[in-house]
Amino acid sequence: MVPLERFGEDTVRVHSVDAVVHRMRALGAAWPERDGVAVFNRVYLAVTEEVDRRLETGHFTDARAAITLDVRFAERYLDAVEAVADERRPPACWRPLFQLRRHPGVRPLQFALAGINAHIGHDLALAVVDTCRTLGCEPAELEDEFDRVGDVLVSLEERIREDLMPGPDLLQIADPLTHLLGAWSLDRARDAAWSAARAVWALRELPDLAEEFVERLDTGVGLVGRCLLTPLGAPLGAR
């Protein structure tokens, strides 16, 4: 991608956010619809397109910070996709999704949640740090834009669940998916990402400790992802 620092706000948006959207659309077109990574990709594409629309309408107070955060955030996911395509190991947080992407017993909503978990639980914290380094600022200076980007994610969460969740006649109280949905929260994941970003930034003068912290964060998020992708089979009412 073209370095952000070479452009003004409008040009940055065209050469970065639009490039991210274009790449995610191309990935989606190349994967089968039922592929687990494709399911997440559709969700994330909708989020990125919504952020782009809000940038155009002046929703963000500091558009440059929002653009940089949005792009650095997306690059983390796209790097994981590229690693798998090149037969390299992606971060631990992404491995369950890529490993189980074609499992017939995992439902679409599980794929979406596992991707969101990896991207917010691990990538968002590091994207904040990446953005601070790019813009030469402190995390506190990004908090407003972080919250606004997070608000986009939360506003789309209900729509995601409506689109991917089985109908009320199929999703019964005894269905294990009901319990998985209740065990994971986007709001809590976002709050944890902000705390992790501040911790990584505070540890920047202690690289060994920072690396250890990030590694443990990656592993922990990966374990949650593995649980979210527990094969459940067809909904109880569909059997």
Side-chain angles (χ1 to χ4, degrees):
M1 293 184 181
V2 181
L4 289 168
E5 295 79 6
R6 289 177 49 192
F7 301 100
E9 279 180 12
D10 291 342
T11 309
V12 166
R13 187 181 65 78
V14 170
H15 285 270
S16 54
V17 179
D18 288 358
V20 165
V21 167
H22 177 77
R23 186 168 176 198
M24 282 194 282
R25 286 175 179 165
L27 290 171
W31 291 327
E33 184 178 353
R34 183 61 177 75
D35 180 283
V37 183
V39 172
F40 168 72
N41 191 78
R42 289 195 294 275
V43 168
Y44 191 30
L45 175 59
V47 170
T48 306
E49 289 174 333
E50 180 62 24
V51 169
D52 200 18
R53 281 191 288 272
R54 296 192 187 195
L55 283 164
E56 291 178 346
T57 59
H59 175 78
F60 295 95
T61 303
D62 186 343
R64 184 173 179 77
I67 291 165
T68 308
L69 178 59
D70 188 45
V71 173
R72 294 294 180 252
F73 189 29
E75 286 173 341
R76 291 272 171 181
Y77 159 61
L78 295 173
D79 285 348
V81 171
E82 187 174 322
V84 173
D86 292 342
E87 299 185 348
R88 292 181 286 112
R89 281 165 66 85
C93 62
W94 284 107
R95 287 173 207 159
L97 180 59
F98 282 99
Q99 290 166 355
L100 296 171
R101 64 191 296 177
R102 297 181 181 87
H103 197 296
V106 179
R107 303 186 203 167
L109 184 55
Q110 291 178 263
F111 288 131
L113 290 180
I116 294 169
N117 169 70
H119 204 35
I120 292 180
H122 174 265
D123 294 355
L124 184 54
L126 300 186
V128 169
V129 174
D130 293 340
T131 301
C132 288
R133 288 172 174 156
T134 298
L135 300 180
C137 65
E138 297 284 326
E141 298 173 64
L142 297 178
E143 188 167 8
D144 287 347
E145 307 317 318
F146 177 93
D147 288 340
R148 287 184 173 89
V149 170
D151 288 344
V152 175
L153 292 165
V154 171
S155 70
L156 290 176
E157 182 183 21
E158 184 176 348
R159 193 178 87 188
I160 291 164
R161 293 186 184 225
E162 287 176 354
D163 289 347
L164 297 177
M165 188 184 294
D169 55 326
L170 295 180
L171 189 62
Q172 301 177 8
I173 228 30
D175 194 316
L177 183 57
T178 306
H179 301 284
L180 275 182
L181 291 175
W184 190 85
S185 163
L186 192 152
D187 269 331
R188 289 198 298 269
R190 185 178 66 166
D191 290 345
W194 181 248
S195 296
R198 293 176 60 204
V200 174
W201 184 255
L203 292 171
R204 65 192 184 281
E205 302 300 332
L206 299 169
D208 290 344
L209 191 56
E211 182 179 357
E212 180 180 345
F213 180 90
V214 171
E215 182 178 344
R216 292 181 184 277
L217 175 68
D218 188 22
T219 300
V221 173
L223 288 173
V224 173
R226 182 72 62 180
C227 292
L228 289 171
L229 290 170
T230 299
L232 303 178
L236 293 177
R239 292 171 185 168

